[in-house]
Amino acid sequence: MLLTISGSLREGSYNRMLCRVAAEAFGPAKVVVGDLDLPLYNGDLEQAEGIPAKVQLLADQIAGADAIVISAPEYNKGISGVLKNALDWVSRTEGNAFAGKPTVVVSAAAGRTGGETAQFMTMACLLQLQAQIISGPAVLVAGASKEFSDAGALTNDRYHDTLKTRMAALRAAIKA
Ligand SMILES: Cc1cc2nc3c(=O)[nH]c(=O)nc-3n(C[C@H](O)[C@H](O)[C@H](O)COP(=O)(O)O)c2cc1C
């Protein structure tokens, strides 16, 4: 099972689109789309009510995934609050859902660096969570509003080819 995680909740999110294109490039697989619409992490809430059901579901999806793709939007040269909040919640669940999970991080952003800073921040968090980060040529979709067709396809072959390379490496990491 391939789990895709977009760090943007927006319906028309380019990172959501990038997740879809990545899943297609990954090839035949059951694809599960993670839902990051979670309450804000609050230690008092955790103590009073435990782990919210939606957080536990996400952690279970991560633990059950063969491979994970995360697409990170960039907000003010950093990781989106939505994505960081999800990683923080998951880190509070039993076990270590991300440990050893083959994971590729990509990004799409309005700016010219394609979300590079957010992508690196996401990988820094994933290192802490002991994910198996599958590295390779970076997929940094810059000026994202011009890079997707109305149907949500990546229009620039360079991005698409790089994404295919990364997805092949992700698939190979499962077999390894
Ligand atoms: C609060 C906020 C901060 C942003 N900061 C950046 C930024 O630092 N770099 C950048 O390239 N784009 C920035 N943007 C533009 C986003 O890249 C753009 O909105 C992008 O479409 C967000 O991803 P999404 O389409 O997946 O929602 C920012 C947008 C918002 C709302």
Side-chain angles (χ1 to χ4, degrees):
M1 179 268 275
L2 175 71
L3 178 67
T4 67
I5 293 175
S6 163
S8 169
L9 299 176
R10 218 163 62 80
E11 198 53 44
S13 155
Y14 299 115
N15 286 281
R16 263 186 209 274
M17 290 183 199
L18 193 54
C19 280
R20 280 189 219 115
V21 180
E24 266 175 48
F26 185 79
K30 178 180 179 201
V31 178
V32 172
V33 177
D35 179 8
L36 270 51
D37 196 358
L38 309 171
L40 277 180
Y41 177 76
N42 177 337
D44 291 340
L45 173 70
E46 183 186 16
Q47 203 163 24
E49 298 175 23
I51 300 292
K54 286 180 81 172
V55 172
Q56 191 56 55
L57 173 64
L58 180 64
D60 291 345
Q61 289 168 337
I62 292 165
D66 298 305
I68 301 173
V69 176
I70 299 179
S71 192
E74 182 168 271
Y75 286 170
N76 298 302
K77 289 288 164 202
I79 189 172
S80 69
V82 164
L83 180 53
K84 184 64 164 61
N85 184 56
L87 296 178
D88 292 342
W89 263 125
V90 167
S91 75
R92 303 294 296 166
T93 60
E94 276 296 316
N96 189 351
F98 272 107
K101 287 290 163 194
T103 304
V104 162
V105 184
V106 295
S107 55
R112 273 184 286 179
T113 57
E116 189 170 33
T117 311
Q119 194 176 127
F120 275 88
M121 280 179 74
T122 304
M123 289 193 279
C125 296
L126 290 170
L127 277 179
Q128 169 68 17
L129 298 172
Q130 296 166 33
Q132 183 194 352
I133 297 170
I134 307 301
S135 59
V139 178
L140 298 154
V141 180
S145 64
K146 295 190 207 80
E147 300 295 349
F148 292 89
S149 70
D150 290 346
L154 265 178
T155 53
N156 184 326
D157 282 347
R158 251 179 354 134
Y159 288 137
H160 198 229
D161 290 348
T162 310
L163 190 60
K164 282 199 279 195
T165 301
R166 299 293 302 279
M167 290 302 106
L170 185 59
R171 193 175 268 280
I174 300 171
K175 292 190 192 124

